[in-house]
Amino acid sequence: MGTQMGINIKNPETVRLISELAELTGEGKTEAVTAAVKERIESLRKAKGRGRYEKMMAIAAEMAPRFKPPYDTIEHGDLLYDEKTGLPK
């Protein structure tokens, strides 16, 4: 993946939190930090995906009124099949 590097954490609060997390999970500090970082990345990726979803839904809500008439009164099959022949249009 890349060159492995050590990490030196100088923030006492962060060191304390890592120790507490490792104690609560029963994992070593490295494993606890790795799992926590993976969970945070996954959470951020999901949030980013929700942002895209919200944008798409806003576009759909804006465009929906343009497609209402006559589609809200026409049956699905009427759009696909010729009424006289029953064949695809």
Side-chain angles (χ1 to χ4, degrees):
M1 225 162 94
T3 305
Q4 291 186 355
M5 298 174 37
I7 184 169
N8 183 10
I9 299 173
K10 297 178 182 178
N11 182 308
E13 176 70 3
T14 303
V15 172
R16 185 190 68 73
L17 290 169
I18 291 170
S19 295
E20 183 178 348
L21 179 62
E23 186 177 321
L24 289 169
T25 62
E27 300 168 325
K29 291 179 182 179
T30 300
E31 291 80 16
V33 169
T34 300
V37 170
K38 285 180 179 180
E39 288 175 16
R40 178 75 189 271
I41 289 170
E42 183 179 334
S43 173
L44 291 169
R45 285 182 177 156
K46 285 181 182 177
K48 185 177 180 181
R50 282 192 299 271
R52 273 192 226 131
Y53 172 79
E54 296 298 329
K55 287 177 187 176
M56 289 173 36
M57 293 307 292
I59 291 169
E62 181 182 330
M63 296 301 292
R66 299 178 189 184
F67 293 99
K68 288 247 183 209
Y71 300 109
D72 58 350
T73 59
I74 295 178
E75 292 294 320
H76 176 259
D78 294 340
L79 297 172
L80 300 175
Y81 299 98
D82 183 87
E83 190 175 305
K84 293 178 186 173
T85 65
L87 297 173
K89 290 184 177 181

Coordinates of all heavy atoms in Angstrom, one line a residue:
M1 N 0.8 -1.2 0.0 CA 0.0 0.0 0.0 C 0.9 1.2 0.0 O 0.5 2.2 -0.6 CB -0.9 0.0 1.2 CG -2.3 0.4 0.8 SD -3.6 -0.1 2.0 CE -3.7 1.4 2.9
G2 N 1.9 1.3 0.7 CA 2.7 2.4 0.7 C 3.8 2.2 1.8 O 3.8 1.2 2.5
T3 N 4.6 3.1 2.0 CA 5.6 3.0 3.0 C 5.0 3.2 4.4 O 4.2 4.1 4.6 CB 6.7 4.1 2.8 OG1 7.2 4.0 1.5 CG2 7.8 4.0 3.8
Q4 N 5.3 2.3 5.3 CA 4.7 2.3 6.6 C 5.5 3.4 7.4 O 6.7 3.4 7.3 CB 4.8 1.0 7.3 CG 3.9 0.0 6.7 CD 3.9 -1.3 7.5 OE1 4.6 -1.5 8.5 NE2 3.0 -2.2 7.1
M5 N 4.8 4.2 8.2 CA 5.4 5.2 9.0 C 4.8 5.0 10.4 O 3.7 4.7 10.6 CB 5.0 6.6 8.4 CG 5.6 6.8 7.1 SD 5.0 8.4 6.4 CE 5.0 9.5 7.7
G6 N 5.7 5.4 11.3 CA 5.2 5.4 12.7 C 4.5 6.7 12.9 O 4.6 7.7 12.1
I7 N 3.7 6.8 13.9 CA 3.0 8.0 14.2 C 3.3 8.4 15.7 O 3.3 7.6 16.6 CB 1.4 7.8 14.0 CG1 0.7 9.1 14.2 CG2 0.9 6.8 14.9 CD1 -0.7 9.1 13.8
N8 N 3.6 9.7 15.9 CA 3.9 10.2 17.2 C 2.8 11.1 17.6 O 2.7 12.2 17.0 CB 5.3 10.8 17.1 CG 5.7 11.3 18.5 OD1 5.1 11.0 19.5 ND2 6.8 12.1 18.5
I9 N 2.0 10.8 18.6 CA 0.9 11.6 19.0 C 1.3 12.4 20.2 O 1.7 11.8 21.3 CB -0.4 10.8 19.3 CG1 -0.8 10.1 18.0 CG2 -1.5 11.6 19.8 CD1 -1.9 9.1 18.1
K10 N 1.3 13.7 20.1 CA 1.8 14.6 21.2 C 0.7 15.2 22.0 O 0.9 15.8 23.0 CB 2.7 15.7 20.6 CG 3.9 15.1 20.0 CD 4.8 16.2 19.4 CE 6.0 15.6 18.7 NZ 6.9 16.5 18.1
N11 N -0.6 15.0 21.5 CA -1.7 15.6 22.2 C -2.1 14.7 23.4 O -2.6 13.5 23.1 CB -2.9 15.8 21.2 CG -4.1 16.4 21.9 OD1 -4.6 16.0 22.9 ND2 -4.6 17.5 21.2
P12 N -2.0 15.1 24.6 CA -2.3 14.3 25.8 C -3.8 13.8 25.8 O -4.0 12.6 26.2 CB -2.1 15.2 27.0 CG -1.3 16.3 26.5 CD -1.5 16.4 25.0
E13 N -4.7 14.6 25.3 CA -6.1 14.2 25.3 C -6.3 13.0 24.3 O -7.0 12.1 24.6 CB -7.0 15.4 24.9 CG -8.4 15.0 24.7 CD -9.2 14.7 26.0 OE1 -8.6 14.7 27.1 OE2 -10.4 14.3 25.9
T14 N -5.6 13.1 23.2 CA -5.7 12.0 22.2 C -5.1 10.7 22.7 O -5.7 9.7 22.5 CB -5.0 12.5 20.9 OG1 -5.6 13.7 20.4 CG2 -5.1 11.4 19.8
V15 N -4.0 10.8 23.4 CA -3.3 9.7 23.9 C -4.3 9.0 25.0 O -4.4 7.8 25.0 CB -2.0 10.1 24.6 CG1 -1.4 8.9 25.4 CG2 -1.0 10.5 23.5
R16 N -4.9 9.9 25.8 CA -5.8 9.4 26.8 C -7.0 8.7 26.2 O -7.4 7.6 26.6 CB -6.3 10.5 27.7 CG -7.2 10.0 28.9 CD -7.9 11.2 29.6 NE -8.9 11.8 28.8 CZ -10.1 11.3 28.5 NH1 -10.4 10.1 28.9 NH2 -11.0 12.0 27.7
L17 N -7.6 9.3 25.1 CA -8.7 8.7 24.4 C -8.4 7.3 23.8 O -9.2 6.4 23.8 CB -9.3 9.7 23.4 CG -10.0 10.9 23.9 CD1 -10.2 11.9 22.8 CD2 -11.2 10.5 24.7
I18 N -7.2 7.3 23.2 CA -6.8 6.0 22.6 C -6.6 4.9 23.7 O -7.1 3.8 23.5 CB -5.4 6.2 21.8 CG1 -5.6 7.1 20.6 CG2 -4.8 4.8 21.5 CD1 -4.4 7.5 19.9
S19 N -6.1 5.3 24.8 CA -5.9 4.3 25.9 C -7.3 3.9 26.4 O -7.5 2.7 26.6 CB -5.1 4.9 27.0 OG -3.8 5.2 26.6
E20 N -8.2 4.8 26.5 CA -9.6 4.5 27.0 C -10.3 3.6 26.0 O -10.9 2.6 26.3 CB -10.4 5.7 27.2 CG -11.8 5.5 27.7 CD -12.5 6.8 28.0 OE1 -12.0 7.9 28.0 OE2 -13.8 6.6 28.2
L21 N -10.1 3.9 24.7 CA -10.8 3.1 23.6 C -10.2 1.7 23.7 O -10.9 0.7 23.6 CB -10.6 3.7 22.3 CG -11.1 3.0 21.1 CD1 -12.7 2.9 21.2 CD2 -10.7 3.7 19.8
A22 N -8.9 1.5 23.7 CA -8.3 0.2 23.8 C -8.7 -0.6 25.0 O -9.0 -1.8 24.9 CB -6.7 0.4 23.8
E23 N -8.8 0.1 26.1 CA -9.3 -0.6 27.3 C -10.7 -1.1 27.2 O -11.1 -2.2 27.5 CB -9.2 0.4 28.5 CG -9.5 -0.3 29.8 CD -9.3 0.6 31.0 OE1 -8.3 1.4 31.0 OE2 -10.1 0.6 31.9
L24 N -11.6 -0.2 26.6 CA -13.0 -0.6 26.5 C -13.2 -1.7 25.5 O -14.1 -2.5 25.7 CB -13.8 0.7 26.0 CG -14.0 1.7 27.1 CD1 -14.6 3.0 26.5 CD2 -14.9 1.2 28.2
T25 N -12.4 -1.7 24.4 CA -12.6 -2.7 23.4 C -11.8 -4.0 23.7 O -12.1 -5.1 23.1 CB -12.2 -2.2 22.0 OG1 -10.8 -1.9 22.0 CG2 -13.0 -1.0 21.6
G26 N -10.8 -3.9 24.5 CA -10.0 -5.1 24.8 C -8.9 -5.3 23.7 O -8.3 -6.3 23.6
E27 N -8.8 -4.3 22.8 CA -7.8 -4.4 21.7 C -6.6 -3.7 22.1 O -6.6 -2.9 23.1 CB -8.4 -3.7 20.5 CG -9.7 -4.4 20.0 CD -10.4 -3.5 18.9 OE1 -10.3 -2.3 19.0 OE2 -11.0 -4.1 18.0
G28 N -5.5 -3.9 21.3 CA -4.3 -3.1 21.5 C -4.6 -1.7 21.0 O -5.6 -1.5 20.2
K29 N -3.8 -0.8 21.3 CA -4.0 0.6 20.9 C -4.0 0.7 19.3 O -4.8 1.4 18.8 CB -2.9 1.5 21.5 CG -3.1 1.7 23.0 CD -2.0 2.6 23.5 CE -2.1 2.7 25.0 NZ -1.0 3.6 25.6
T30 N -3.1 0.0 18.7 CA -3.1 0.1 17.2 C -4.3 -0.4 16.6 O -4.9 0.2 15.7 CB -1.8 -0.7 16.6 OG1 -0.6 -0.1 17.2 CG2 -1.8 -0.6 15.1
E31 N -4.8 -1.6 17.1 CA -6.0 -2.1 16.5 C -7.2 -1.3 16.8 O -8.1 -1.1 16.0 CB -6.3 -3.5 17.1 CG -5.3 -4.6 16.7 CD -3.9 -4.5 17.4 OE1 -3.8 -3.9 18.5 OE2 -3.0 -5.1 16.9
A32 N -7.3 -0.7 18.0 CA -8.4 0.2 18.4 C -8.4 1.4 17.5 O -9.5 1.8 17.0 CB -8.3 0.6 19.9
V33 N -7.3 2.0 17.3 CA -7.2 3.2 16.4 C -7.6 2.9 15.0 O -8.3 3.6 14.3 CB -5.8 3.9 16.5 CG1 -5.6 5.0 15.4 CG2 -5.6 4.5 17.9
T34 N -7.1 1.8 14.5 CA -7.4 1.3 13.1 C -8.8 1.2 12.9 O -9.4 1.6 11.9 CB -6.6 0.0 12.8 OG1 -5.2 0.3 12.9 CG2 -6.9 -0.4 11.4
A35 N -9.5 0.5 13.8 CA -10.9 0.2 13.7 C -11.7 1.6 13.8 O -12.6 1.8 13.0 CB -11.4 -0.7 14.8
A36 N -11.3 2.4 14.7 CA -12.0 3.7 14.9 C -11.8 4.6 13.6 O -12.8 5.2 13.1 CB -11.4 4.5 16.1
V37 N -10.6 4.6 13.0 CA -10.4 5.4 11.8 C -11.2 4.8 10.6 O -11.9 5.5 9.9 CB -8.9 5.4 11.4 CG1 -8.7 6.0 10.1 CG2 -8.2 6.2 12.5
K38 N -11.3 3.5 10.5 CA -12.1 2.8 9.5 C -13.6 3.2 9.6 O -14.2 3.5 8.6 CB -11.9 1.3 9.5 CG -10.6 0.8 8.9 CD -10.5 -0.7 9.0 CE -9.2 -1.2 8.4 NZ -9.1 -2.7 8.5
E39 N -14.1 3.1 10.9 CA -15.5 3.5 11.1 C -15.7 4.9 10.7 O -16.8 5.3 10.1 CB -15.8 3.3 12.6 CG -15.9 1.8 12.9 CD -16.2 1.6 14.4 OE1 -16.6 2.6 15.1 OE2 -16.0 0.5 14.9
R40 N -14.8 5.8 11.0 CA -15.0 7.3 10.7 C -15.0 7.5 9.2 O -15.8 8.2 8.7 CB -13.9 8.1 11.4 CG -13.9 9.6 11.1 CD -15.0 10.3 11.9 NE -15.2 11.6 11.5 CZ -14.6 12.7 12.0 NH1 -13.7 12.5 12.9 NH2 -14.8 13.9 11.6
I41 N -14.1 6.8 8.5 CA -14.0 6.9 7.0 C -15.3 6.4 6.4 O -15.9 7.1 5.5 CB -12.8 6.2 6.5 CG1 -11.5 6.9 6.8 CG2 -12.9 6.0 5.0 CD1 -10.3 6.1 6.5
E42 N -15.8 5.3 6.9 CA -17.1 4.7 6.4 C -18.2 5.7 6.6 O -19.1 5.9 5.8 CB -17.4 3.4 7.0 CG -18.6 2.7 6.5 CD -18.8 1.3 7.2 OE1 -17.9 0.7 7.6 OE2 -20.0 0.9 7.2
S43 N -18.3 6.3 7.8 CA -19.3 7.2 8.2 C -19.3 8.4 7.3 O -20.3 8.9 6.8 CB -19.2 7.6 9.6 OG -20.1 8.7 9.9
L44 N -18.1 9.0 7.0 CA -18.0 10.1 6.1 C -18.4 9.8 4.7 O -19.0 10.6 4.0 CB -16.6 10.7 6.2 CG -16.2 11.3 7.5 CD1 -14.7 11.6 7.6 CD2 -17.0 12.6 7.8
R45 N -18.0 8.6 4.2 CA -18.4 8.2 2.9 C -19.9 8.1 2.7 O -20.5 8.5 1.7 CB -17.7 6.9 2.5 CG -16.2 7.1 2.2 CD -15.6 5.8 1.7 NE -14.2 6.0 1.4 CZ -13.3 5.1 1.4 NH1 -13.6 3.8 1.8 NH2 -12.0 5.4 1.1
K46 N -20.5 7.5 3.8 CA -22.0 7.4 3.7 C -22.6 8.8 3.7 O -23.6 9.0 3.0 CB -22.5 6.6 4.9 CG -22.3 5.1 4.8 CD -22.8 4.3 6.0 CE -22.5 2.9 5.8 NZ -23.0 2.1 7.0
A47 N -22.1 9.7 4.5 CA -22.7 11.0 4.6 C -22.5 11.7 3.2 O -23.4 12.4 2.8 CB -21.9 11.8 5.7
K48 N -21.4 11.5 2.6 CA -21.2 12.1 1.3 C -22.2 11.5 0.3 O -22.8 12.2 -0.5 CB -19.8 11.8 0.8 CG -19.4 12.5 -0.5 CD -18.0 12.2 -0.9 CE -17.6 12.8 -2.2 NZ -16.2 12.6 -2.6
G49 N -22.5 10.2 0.4 CA -23.5 9.6 -0.5 C -24.9 10.1 -0.2 O -25.6 10.4 -1.1
R50 N -25.2 10.4 1.0 CA -26.5 11.0 1.4 C -26.6 12.4 0.8 O -27.7 12.8 0.4 CB -26.7 11.0 2.9 CG -27.1 9.7 3.5 CD -27.5 9.9 4.9 NE -26.5 10.4 5.8 CZ -25.6 9.7 6.5 NH1 -25.6 8.4 6.3 NH2 -24.7 10.2 7.3
G51 N -25.5 13.1 0.7 CA -25.5 14.4 0.1 C -25.9 14.4 -1.3 O -26.7 15.2 -1.8
R52 N -25.3 13.4 -2.0 CA -25.7 13.2 -3.5 C -27.2 12.8 -3.6 O -27.9 13.3 -4.5 CB -24.8 12.1 -4.1 CG -23.5 12.6 -4.6 CD -22.9 11.5 -5.4 NE -21.5 11.5 -5.0 CZ -20.8 10.4 -4.7 NH1 -21.4 9.2 -4.7 NH2 -19.6 10.5 -4.2
Y53 N -27.6 12.0 -2.7 CA -29.0 11.6 -2.7 C -29.9 12.8 -2.5 O -30.9 12.9 -3.3 CB -29.3 10.5 -1.6 CG -30.7 10.2 -1.4 CD1 -31.4 9.3 -2.3 CD2 -31.5 10.8 -0.4 CE1 -32.7 9.0 -2.2 CE2 -32.8 10.5 -0.3 CZ -33.4 9.6 -1.1 OH -34.8 9.3 -1.0
E54 N -29.6 13.6 -1.6 CA -30.4 14.8 -1.3 C -30.4 15.7 -2.5 O -31.5 16.3 -2.9 CB -29.9 15.6 -0.1 CG -30.0 14.8 1.2 CD -31.4 14.4 1.6 OE1 -32.3 15.2 1.3 OE2 -31.6 13.4 2.2
K55 N -29.3 15.9 -3.2 CA -29.3 16.7 -4.4 C -30.1 16.1 -5.5 O -30.9 16.8 -6.2 CB -27.8 16.9 -4.9 CG -27.0 17.7 -4.0 CD -25.5 17.8 -4.5 CE -24.6 18.5 -3.6 NZ -23.2 18.5 -4.0
M56 N -30.1 14.8 -5.7 CA -30.9 14.2 -6.7 C -32.4 14.3 -6.4 O -33.2 14.5 -7.3 CB -30.5 12.7 -6.9 CG -29.1 12.5 -7.5 SD -28.5 10.8 -7.5 CE -29.8 9.8 -7.8
M57 N -32.7 14.2 -5.2 CA -34.1 14.3 -4.8 C -34.6 15.7 -5.0 O -35.8 15.9 -5.4 CB -34.3 13.8 -3.3 CG -34.1 12.3 -3.2 SD -35.1 11.3 -4.3 CE -36.7 11.6 -3.7
A58 N -33.8 16.7 -4.7 CA -34.1 18.1 -5.0 C -34.4 18.4 -6.4 O -35.3 19.0 -6.8 CB -33.1 19.0 -4.4
I59 N -33.5 17.8 -7.3 CA -33.7 17.9 -8.7 C -35.0 17.3 -9.2 O -35.8 17.8 -9.9 CB -32.5 17.3 -9.5 CG1 -31.3 18.2 -9.3 CG2 -32.8 17.2 -11.0 CD1 -30.0 17.6 -9.8
A60 N -35.3 16.1 -8.6 CA -36.5 15.3 -9.0 C -37.7 16.1 -8.6 O -38.7 16.2 -9.3 CB -36.5 14.0 -8.3
A61 N -37.7 16.7 -7.4 CA -38.8 17.5 -6.9 C -39.0 18.7 -7.8 O -40.2 19.1 -8.0 CB -38.6 17.9 -5.4
E62 N -38.0 19.3 -8.2 CA -38.1 20.5 -9.1 C -38.6 20.1 -10.5 O -39.4 20.9 -11.1 CB -36.7 21.2 -9.3 CG -36.7 22.4 -10.1 CD -35.3 23.0 -10.3 OE1 -34.5 22.8 -9.4 OE2 -35.1 23.6 -11.4
M63 N -38.2 19.0 -11.0 CA -38.6 18.6 -12.3 C -40.0 17.9 -12.3 O -40.7 17.9 -13.4 CB -37.6 17.6 -12.9 CG -36.2 18.2 -13.1 SD -36.2 19.6 -14.2 CE -36.6 18.8 -15.7
A64 N -40.5 17.3 -11.3 CA -41.7 16.5 -11.2 C -42.9 17.3 -11.8 O -43.6 16.7 -12.6 CB -42.0 16.0 -9.8
P65 N -43.1 18.5 -11.5 CA -44.3 19.2 -12.0 C -44.3 19.3 -13.5 O -45.4 19.4 -14.1 CB -44.2 20.6 -11.4 CG -43.4 20.5 -10.2 CD -42.4 19.4 -10.5
R66 N -43.1 19.3 -14.1 CA -43.1 19.4 -15.6 C -43.5 18.1 -16.3 O -43.8 18.1 -17.5 CB -41.6 19.7 -16.0 CG -41.1 21.0 -15.4 CD -39.7 21.2 -15.8 NE -39.2 22.4 -15.1 CZ -38.0 22.9 -15.2 NH1 -37.2 22.4 -16.1 NH2 -37.6 24.0 -14.5
F67 N -43.6 17.0 -15.6 CA -43.9 15.7 -16.2 C -45.3 15.2 -15.7 O -45.7 14.1 -16.1 CB -42.9 14.7 -15.8 CG -41.6 15.0 -16.4 CD1 -40.6 15.6 -15.7 CD2 -41.3 14.7 -17.8 CE1 -39.3 15.9 -16.3 CE2 -40.1 14.9 -18.4 CZ -39.1 15.5 -17.6
K68 N -46.1 16.0 -15.0 CA -47.4 15.5 -14.5 C -48.4 15.3 -15.6 O -48.6 14.2 -16.0 CB -47.9 16.5 -13.5 CG -47.1 16.4 -12.2 CD -48.0 15.9 -11.1 CE -47.2 15.9 -9.8 NZ -47.5 14.9 -8.9
P69 N -49.0 16.4 -16.2 CA -50.0 16.1 -17.2 C -49.3 15.7 -18.5 O -48.3 16.2 -18.8 CB -50.7 17.5 -17.4 CG -50.2 18.3 -16.2 CD -48.9 17.7 -15.7
P70 N -49.9 14.7 -19.2 CA -51.0 13.9 -18.9 C -50.6 12.6 -18.2 O -51.4 11.7 -18.0 CB -51.6 13.6 -20.2 CG -50.4 13.5 -21.1 CD -49.4 14.5 -20.5
Y71 N -49.3 12.5 -17.8 CA -48.8 11.2 -17.3 C -49.5 10.7 -16.0 O -49.5 9.5 -15.7 CB -47.3 11.3 -17.1 CG -46.6 11.6 -18.4 CD1 -46.0 12.8 -18.6 CD2 -46.6 10.6 -19.4 CE1 -45.3 13.1 -19.8 CE2 -45.9 10.9 -20.6 CZ -45.3 12.1 -20.8 OH -44.7 12.4 -22.0
D72 N -50.1 11.6 -15.3 CA -50.7 11.1 -14.0 C -52.1 10.5 -14.3 O -52.7 9.9 -13.4 CB -50.8 12.3 -13.0 CG -51.6 13.5 -13.5 OD1 -51.9 13.5 -14.7 OD2 -51.9 14.4 -12.7
T73 N -52.6 10.6 -15.5 CA -53.9 10.0 -15.8 C -53.8 8.9 -16.8 O -54.8 8.2 -17.1 CB -54.9 11.1 -16.4 OG1 -54.3 11.6 -17.5 CG2 -55.1 12.1 -15.3
I74 N -52.6 8.6 -17.4 CA -52.4 7.6 -18.4 C -51.9 6.3 -17.7 O -51.0 6.4 -16.9 CB -51.4 8.1 -19.5 CG1 -52.0 9.3 -20.2 CG2 -51.1 7.0 -20.4 CD1 -51.1 9.8 -21.3
E75 N -52.4 5.2 -18.1 CA -51.9 3.9 -17.6 C -50.6 3.6 -18.3 O -50.3 4.0 -19.4 CB -52.9 2.8 -18.0 CG -54.2 2.9 -17.2 CD -54.0 2.7 -15.8 OE1 -53.2 1.8 -15.4 OE2 -54.7 3.4 -15.0
H76 N -49.7 2.9 -17.6 CA -48.4 2.5 -18.1 C -48.5 1.8 -19.4 O -47.7 2.2 -20.4 CB -47.8 1.6 -17.0 CG -46.4 1.1 -17.5 ND1 -46.3 -0.2 -18.0 CD2 -45.2 1.6 -17.5 CE1 -45.0 -0.4 -18.3 NE2 -44.3 0.7 -18.0
G77 N -49.4 0.9 -19.6 CA -49.5 0.2 -20.9 C -49.9 1.1 -22.0 O -49.5 0.8 -23.2
D78 N -50.6 2.1 -21.8 CA -51.0 3.0 -22.8 C -49.8 3.7 -23.4 O -49.8 4.1 -24.6 CB -52.0 4.1 -22.3 CG -53.3 3.5 -21.9 OD1 -53.6 2.3 -22.3 OD2 -54.1 4.1 -21.1
L79 N -48.8 3.9 -22.6 CA -47.6 4.6 -23.1 C -46.7 3.6 -24.0 O -45.9 4.1 -24.8 CB -46.8 5.1 -22.0 CG -47.4 6.2 -21.1 CD1 -46.6 6.5 -19.9 CD2 -47.7 7.5 -21.9
L80 N -46.9 2.3 -23.7 CA -46.0 1.4 -24.4 C -46.6 0.7 -25.6 O -45.9 0.3 -26.5 CB -45.5 0.3 -23.4 CG -44.8 0.9 -22.1 CD1 -44.5 -0.3 -21.2 CD2 -43.5 1.5 -22.6
Y81 N -48.0 0.5 -25.5 CA -48.6 -0.4 -26.5 C -49.7 0.4 -27.3 O -50.4 1.2 -26.7 CB -49.2 -1.6 -25.9 CG -48.2 -2.5 -25.2 CD1 -48.0 -2.4 -23.8 CD2 -47.4 -3.3 -25.9 CE1 -47.0 -3.1 -23.2 CE2 -46.4 -4.1 -25.3 CZ -46.2 -4.0 -24.0 OH -45.3 -4.8 -23.3
D82 N -49.7 0.1 -28.6 CA -50.8 0.7 -29.4 C -52.1 0.1 -29.0 O -52.3 -1.1 -28.9 CB -50.5 0.4 -30.9 CG -51.5 1.1 -31.8 OD1 -51.2 2.2 -32.2 OD2 -52.5 0.4 -32.2
E83 N -53.1 1.0 -28.8 CA -54.4 0.5 -28.4 C -55.1 -0.4 -29.4 O -55.8 -1.3 -29.0 CB -55.3 1.8 -28.1 CG -56.6 1.4 -27.4 CD -57.4 2.7 -27.0 OE1 -56.8 3.5 -26.3 OE2 -58.5 2.8 -27.4
K84 N -54.9 -0.1 -30.6 CA -55.6 -0.9 -31.7 C -55.0 -2.2 -31.9 O -55.7 -3.2 -32.0 CB -55.7 -0.1 -33.0 CG -56.5 1.2 -32.9 CD -56.5 1.9 -34.2 CE -57.3 3.3 -34.0 NZ -57.1 4.1 -35.1
T85 N -53.7 -2.2 -32.1 CA -53.0 -3.5 -32.4 C -52.5 -4.3 -31.2 O -52.2 -5.5 -31.3 CB -51.8 -3.2 -33.4 OG1 -50.8 -2.4 -32.6 CG2 -52.2 -2.4 -34.6
G86 N -52.3 -3.6 -30.1 CA -51.7 -4.2 -28.9 C -50.2 -4.5 -29.0 O -49.6 -5.1 -28.2
L87 N -49.6 -3.9 -30.1 CA -48.2 -4.1 -30.3 C -47.4 -2.9 -29.7 O -48.0 -1.8 -29.6 CB -47.9 -4.2 -31.8 CG -48.5 -5.4 -32.6 CD1 -48.2 -5.3 -34.0 CD2 -47.9 -6.7 -32.0
P88 N -46.2 -3.1 -29.4 CA -45.4 -2.0 -28.9 C -45.4 -0.8 -29.9 O -45.4 -1.0 -31.1 CB -44.0 -2.6 -28.8 CG -44.2 -4.0 -28.7 CD -45.4 -4.3 -29.5
K89 N -45.4 0.4 -29.3 CA -45.4 1.6 -30.1 C -44.0 1.9 -30.7 O -43.1 1.5 -30.2 CB -45.9 2.8 -29.3 CG -47.3 2.7 -29.0 CD -47.8 4.0 -28.3 CE -49.3 3.9 -28.0 NZ -49.8 5.1 -27.3

